[in-house]
């Protein structure tokens, strides 16, 4: 079996550490947004180009926080799979079932992120404007090109992970003949 060069393993280890730090930062931000949801309300209002002149209820803030938790959960799942792949590379285990599963997981995470982004915009708009006066409530539906790109990249990663799983199985079978 071929081994990854030492430099490649060092880079993978550094990337593993970077992704781990990023995941911790996301958790910290999520905790902050949950404790102080006014930041989230302001960010979502800005993303819709709204000046919120009405009081935003606790229910609306809770819905926006729930959307943030779902977004963060999907991002953390995807990043955990990225970290798993970097860890496998750092451990010189590139052509293993674990690495193949990580690649499939990255693909699933990216596809989930793309589909969630299609739901997030309308859900956020509804939550943000649920307390608005009649006539100022909104349902906004948006399909963004980055969601399409993310879905395609996720599908590609999913397929690469499936093919890699099959390749690892064939390589193991061939090793048995030698």
């Amino acid at each position: 079996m071929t081994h990854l060069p030492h430099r490649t393993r060092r880079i993978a280890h550094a990337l593993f550490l970077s992704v781990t730090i990023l995941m911790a930062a996301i958790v910290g931000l999520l905790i902050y947004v949950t404790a102080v949801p006014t930041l989230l309300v302001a960010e979502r209002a800005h993303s819709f180009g709204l000046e919120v002149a009405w009081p935003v209820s606790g229910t609306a803030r809770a819905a926006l926080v729930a959307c943030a938790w779902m977004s963060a959960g999907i991002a953390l799942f995807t990043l955990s799979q990225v970290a798993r792949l970097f860890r496998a590379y750092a451990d010189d285990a590139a052509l293993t079932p674990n690495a193949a599963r990580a690649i499939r997981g990255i693909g699933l995470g990216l596809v989930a992120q793309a589909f969630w982004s299609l739901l997030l915009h309308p859900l956020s708009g509804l939550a943000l404007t649920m307390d608005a006066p009649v006539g100022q409530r909104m349902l906004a539906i948006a399909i963004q090109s980055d969601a399409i790109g993310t879905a395609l990249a996720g599908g590609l990663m999913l397929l690469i992970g499936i093919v890699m799983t099959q390749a690892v199985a064939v390589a193991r079978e061939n090793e048995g003949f030698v």
Side-chain angles (χ1 to χ4, degrees), residues 71 132 134:
S71 296
V134 175

Side-chain angles (χ1 to χ4, degrees), residues 22-36 39 68-69 72:
L22 176 60
M23 290 171 60
I26 289 171
V27 170
L29 181 61
L30 188 58
I31 290 168
Y32 178 74
V33 164
T34 301
V36 186
L39 174 71
W69 274 85

